[in-house]
């Protein structure tokens, strides 16, 4: 057995306490697997008197995470506080500067400052591991950084925000409107303090930006992600998509094209019987396409105490085994600056329109689409609802540009009663 | 950049040439990711004059894999010959004894001699990596050994022989009998030289035994796997299972119970709409259940040049990065000898009987099941076929023992026209 590896854990919330519990419960198993003991030297959180779900009285308590980061009896600083600035960031930087490796679950921090942190870590000869930051218990970081190291990755797709997937699948199964399910999710504690992080797609976009960096050897570029949340998805859209064999998911897609790096996080239609279409509730899925391996699909719990702590533990075990992999899979200095590209890859689109009850309304709409070079694959008109007729169109493959153009032109027809809803139908091998 | 890592590749067949191609095509990418160059010092195969799908003229040629294993200019011996004895085994042992690490795709070798080889490797301070040996391109070894190191794994399930899955799904989609599709698979080159390895479930059982070892910290115990092939699955079974919402898969299940380690590889029914049920063709899937992470599902190509070579490369990159993980995830000496246990976990069962056209036949069968404590969930009788009536029964949950007992008793009824077919219905979360 080598010398124990000594942890300082900052943050004793859902994830932090989950990690403490695993270390306490599986001490023997972990020693056998790591070849050394994993010990917790000290912990930190805001409120020392808070009742926690694990006994932390055996560890030194430090009020200030910065003090924890700088301690001599800590080899690995485990940051489980959260937030892309403030104490989490400062403590991570200080830990690296004082010679510690860092394990974190903080996607916001990595999405915003991943490059600087990776450079700092390398300068200091330290590493940062962050398996838990993307898709919770699913080992996607390790898979991309290590298992697929012999591949050129061409596309990543993922459902990576459990709360959004919960809301969308619950709307469908219970037939409830967005607002009702949103309130329910809030009551159940599924939403972040700032719900925009979830339903606005920001949290999932953070994760996508991190995956892109590893996949394409580029600097994390969160500001290159086109983001759209799920707020405008109505129960009507969900039902009508289902009628045509689709489900709506908040789907992240990143791919390298000749024009640059496309990254988008947006509600999309996927075939109801595809693996992505079948994801229920908080489950996450990542689909990776690469030159040698072909398609790889990983599915599991994307959040929650156990799954997230499991991922944090995998990083801790890695360091205990003296495994040291570059932060984003290759030296930070070799990561290129990707040209961000707006989505240009063609796809079929779903359009939901509310037409005024005027003669020739449908023909006018069809003409606008035709002028934009868009051909119609399927169209359904539903019963009038208070003077307007809902119309649903699935186009043949077309470009996002053509769709934008058509949508901009539609109001000129004088038959459009409400803002059109347009959703991409992402092609997914099933 | 550190010093190059030097490979000796023994075996230039499907997998070996796949590896050579990746190293040639992605030299730059690999150097960036590994922090060193990956070079091939020498190669070996049976026939030097054979036309190969990659140019190997730049590498030293060695006729004898043993000579290759012992070379001074080799750091990692990559064994891609195959077979559980003979030259593959001897060369791997010699490589370890002469101070090389070993990468192999050889499940038969590990299933039969994994423990001795792991002990030898540890004595020599070397490692053996074998990601490609189980489920081809799916990173299941890394996931279990590293990503789930903080978990206690409770059950593993897997469809891990692409050829069997091809045969079963092709029978269903084309409505063809087993023999026809078997011949087709042979013509397409999907079958091993000894087809029993595939259709007899042996190859898949090798893989399951390897996974069990990592999952439960036990010595590989291939002889503890209850094995049954797919030869007795008829197109009738496939159709009738489908009628009731199931698909038949050659499914491996390993779980630790109070009675010991249950390992079985056998044709099972799974819900048609579960991830396992939906697997088509050569695709593989592994489902892992563990205490913290919950359920994790991995899906991808289980064989073929690209996917298998991708897995071999992940091991090579790991060694190039100086990552050294114990062979089965913990020191070989700490692996326990599991008590092998016959399957005892209860399940529902599918029974197909051919009854003679006698009055009260069905009642007699029902009585035998009742006496064995088995209750019937669903029953269907089909039209008579030449004097016998096919009857299909799905039981409620019962024990394998009760089923065996009932099957042994059935002939006494005097109404059974043919050997009953009995298949376990494995419970799978969807
Ligand atoms: N929860 C999940 O399922 C999940 C999944 C993946 C990733 N993550 C990430 O994991 C991280 C932690 O998430 P969580 O859900 O565990 O959060 P949480 O339950 O809110 O816990 C946060 C912890 O940080 C402590 N803390 C906050 N501000 C602090 C300060 N200024 N100084 C010291 N301690 C401070 C809190 O102390 P008190 O307890 O005293 O208030 C609390 O223990 C975040 O980056 C999150 O994005 C979470
Ligand atoms: N194919 C797959 O999809 C797959 C997937 C997972 C794992 N695997 C495993 O990978 C290994 C290799 O499989 P493969 O499909 O690549 O086999 P293969 O195509 O049959 O190639 C075997 C290679 O070994 C060479 N060889 C055989 N006997 C030899 C000897 N006595 N001395 C020197 N070389 C010898 C052959 O030489 P010649 O070329 O000169 O005949 C050939 O190059 C096996 O362990 C297999 O189980 C394969």
């Amino acid at each position: 057995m080598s010398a124990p590896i000594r942890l300082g854990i900052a943050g004793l919330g859902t994830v932090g306490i989950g990690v403490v519990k695993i270390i306490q419960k599986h001490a023997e198993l972990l020693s056998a697997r790591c070849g050394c003991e994993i010990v917790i030297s000290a912990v930190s959180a805001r409120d020392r008197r808070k009742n926690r779900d694990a006994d932390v009285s055996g560890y030194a308590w430090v009020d200030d995470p910065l003090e924890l980061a700088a301690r001599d009896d800590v080899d690995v600083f485990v940051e489980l506080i959260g937030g892309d600035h403030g104490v989490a960031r400062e403590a991570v930087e200080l830990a690296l500067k004082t010679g510690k490796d860092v394990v974190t679950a903080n996607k916001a921090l990595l999405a915003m400052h991943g490059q600087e942190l990776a450079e700092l870590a390398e300068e200091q000869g330290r590493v940062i591991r962050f398996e838990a930051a993307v898709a919770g218990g699913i080992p996607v970081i390790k898979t991309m950084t290590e298992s697929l190291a012999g591949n050129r990755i061409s596309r990543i797709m993922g459902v990576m925000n459990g709360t959004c997937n919960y809301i969308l699948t619950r709307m469908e199964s219970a037939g409830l409107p967005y607002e009702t399910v949103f309130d329910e999710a809030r009551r159940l504690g599924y939403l972040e303090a700032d719900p925009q992080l979830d339903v606005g797609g920001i949290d999932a976009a953070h994760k996508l930006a991190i995956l892109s960096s590893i996949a394409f050897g580029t600097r994390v570029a969160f500001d290159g992600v086109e983001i759209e949340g799920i707020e405008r998805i109505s129960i009507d859209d969900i039902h009508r998509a289902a009628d045509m064999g689709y489900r709506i998911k908040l789907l992240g897609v990143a791919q390298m094209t000749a024009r640059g790096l496309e990254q988008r996080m947006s509600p999309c239609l996927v075939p109801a019987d595809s693996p992505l279409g079948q994801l229920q509730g908080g489950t996450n899925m990542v689909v990776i396409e690469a030159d040698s391996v072909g398609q790889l699909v990983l599915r599991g719990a994307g959040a929650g105490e156990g799954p997230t702590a499991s991922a944090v533990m995998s990083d801790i075990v890695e360091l205990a085994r003296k495994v040291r992999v570059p932060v984003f899979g290759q030296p930070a200095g070799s990561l290129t600056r990707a040209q961000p590209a707006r989505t240009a890859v063609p796809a079929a689109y779903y359009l939901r329109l509310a037409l005024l009850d005027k003669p020739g309304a449908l023909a006018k709409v069809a003409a606008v689409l035709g002028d934009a070079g868009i051909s119609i694959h399927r169209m359904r008109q539903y019963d009038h609802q208070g003077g307007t007729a809902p119309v649903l169109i699935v186009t043949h493959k077309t470009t996002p540009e053509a769709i934008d153009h058509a949508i901009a032109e539609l109001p000129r027809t004088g038959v459009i009663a409400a803002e059109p809803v347009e959703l991409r139908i992402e092609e997914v091998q099933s």
Side-chain angles (χ1 to χ4, degrees), chain A:
Chain A
M1 292 279 261
S2 348
I5 185 165
R6 300 165 304 168
L7 312 180
I9 303 182
L12 296 171
T14 308
V15 185
I17 285 296
V19 170
V20 170
K21 282 191 200 165
I22 294 180
I23 292 173
Q24 294 178 347
K25 182 170 64 167
H26 287 327
E28 214 178 311
L29 202 64
L30 286 165
S31 296
R33 289 173 179 172
C34 298
C36 70
E37 212 185 328
I38 296 177
V39 301
I40 300 174
S41 296
V43 297
S44 172
R46 256 180 318 217
D47 180 356
R48 184 170 187 165
R49 282 155 317 172
K50 202 188 255 183
N51 221 339
R52 316 237 172 224
D53 204 19
D55 178 6
V56 296
S57 62
Y59 318 125
W61 177 279
V62 189
D63 278 315
D64 181 1
L66 290 169
E67 196 185 317
L68 182 67
R71 277 174 81 103
D72 283 340
D73 61 357
V74 166
D75 303 310
V76 178
F77 180 68
V78 185
E79 185 278 301
L80 301 168
I81 296 171
D84 65 1
H85 59 276
V87 67
R89 181 179 180 191
E90 288 162 30
V92 165
E93 288 177 354
L94 184 60
L96 294 170
K97 287 182 184 154
T98 56
K100 280 91 185 175
D101 292 318
V102 169
V103 169
T104 178
N106 192 334
K107 49 251 176 179
L109 182 66
L110 287 161
M112 303 309 288
H113 309 292
Q115 182 66 23
E116 299 120 78
L117 290 174
E119 286 171 10
L120 174 60
E122 281 177 25
E123 268 166 44
Q124 302 289 329
R126 310 319 310 176
V127 296
I128 307 174
R129 301 316 300 148
F130 51 93
E131 184 63 83
V134 180
I138 300 179
V140 60
I141 302 295
K142 192 174 272 290
T143 295
M144 294 218 319
T145 319
E146 303 180 34
S147 302
L148 300 183
N151 287 258
R152 189 174 293 283
I153 294 175
S154 50
R155 183 164 72 145
I156 340 166
M157 288 189 292
V159 170
M160 299 185 288
N161 182 285
T163 305
C164 288
N165 204 48
Y166 167 81
I167 291 176
L168 294 170
T169 52
R170 172 94 178 126
M171 282 169 72
E172 176 167 6
S173 64
L176 291 169
Y178 175 79
E179 293 71 22
T180 312
V181 179
F182 177 88
D183 288 342
E184 198 178 276
R186 195 203 289 272
R187 273 197 313 278
L188 289 166
Y190 290 179
L191 282 158
E192 303 260 359
D194 172 6
Q196 262 311 103
L197 286 174
D198 289 312
V199 297
I202 297 166
D203 165 81
H206 285 149
K207 297 171 185 168
L208 186 69
I210 295 170
L211 293 187
S212 291
S213 166
I214 301 171
F216 306 114
T218 50
R219 294 167 169 235
V220 186
F222 171 68
D223 51 10
V225 187
E226 296 175 67
I227 307 177
E228 200 187 295
I230 61 167
E231 306 96 323
R232 70 188 176 113
I233 302 299
S234 73
I235 180 70
D236 283 357
D237 291 317
I238 288 179
H239 284 149
R240 279 159 195 172
D243 280 358
M244 313 224 278
Y246 295 104
R247 289 235 168 78
I248 301 177
K249 298 287 166 195
L250 178 65
L251 187 71
V253 181
Q255 64 198 119
M256 189 58 88
T257 72
R259 304 169 64 256
L261 176 61
E262 292 188 6
Q263 299 181 89
R264 63 183 169 278
M265 180 57 66
S266 63
C268 288
L269 272 64
V270 294
D273 61 1
S274 67
L276 280 168
Q278 292 194 321
L279 271 196
Q280 295 288 319
T283 314
N284 282 19
M285 181 175 280
V286 182
V287 179
I288 307 166
E289 293 165 358
D291 59 355
S292 290
V293 84
Q295 190 197 60
L296 197 63
V297 180
L298 312 177
R299 190 184 107 148
E305 179 186 305
T308 313
S310 163
V312 172
M313 285 311 303
S314 110
D315 289 339
I316 294 173
V317 168
E318 188 173 307
L319 295 173
R321 283 176 171 161
K322 308 200 171 31
V323 170
R324 310 185 71 75
V325 172
V327 181
F328 293 103
Q330 59 185 75
S334 72
L335 297 166
T336 58
R337 278 177 213 274
Q339 175 68 33
R342 276 214 60 194
T343 298
V345 173
Y349 277 79
Y350 160 105
L351 300 176
R352 181 163 61 84
L353 309 174
L355 300 192
L356 295 173
D357 192 7
K358 290 189 179 169
L362 216 47
K364 285 181 185 160
V365 166
V368 168
L369 295 179
D371 288 348
I374 299 168
S375 68
I376 295 175
H377 175 47
R378 293 159 74 183
M379 178 158 70
R380 287 194 189 179
Q381 177 156 355
Y382 288 84
D383 285 347
H384 285 229
Q385 295 176 342
T388 72
V391 169
L392 209 130
I393 293 170
V394 171
T395 72
H396 279 291
K397 259 197 187 181
T398 179
T399 63
E401 249 184 318
I403 289 287
D404 288 351
H405 176 73
I407 297 230
E409 290 294 315
L410 277 174
R412 298 204 191 193
T413 58
V415 301
I416 301 293
E419 183 90 0
V421 171
E422 137 263 329
L423 295 167
R424 195 174 161 91
I425 304 183
E426 201 62 44
E427 235 172 77
V428 186
Q429 186 187 324
S430 79

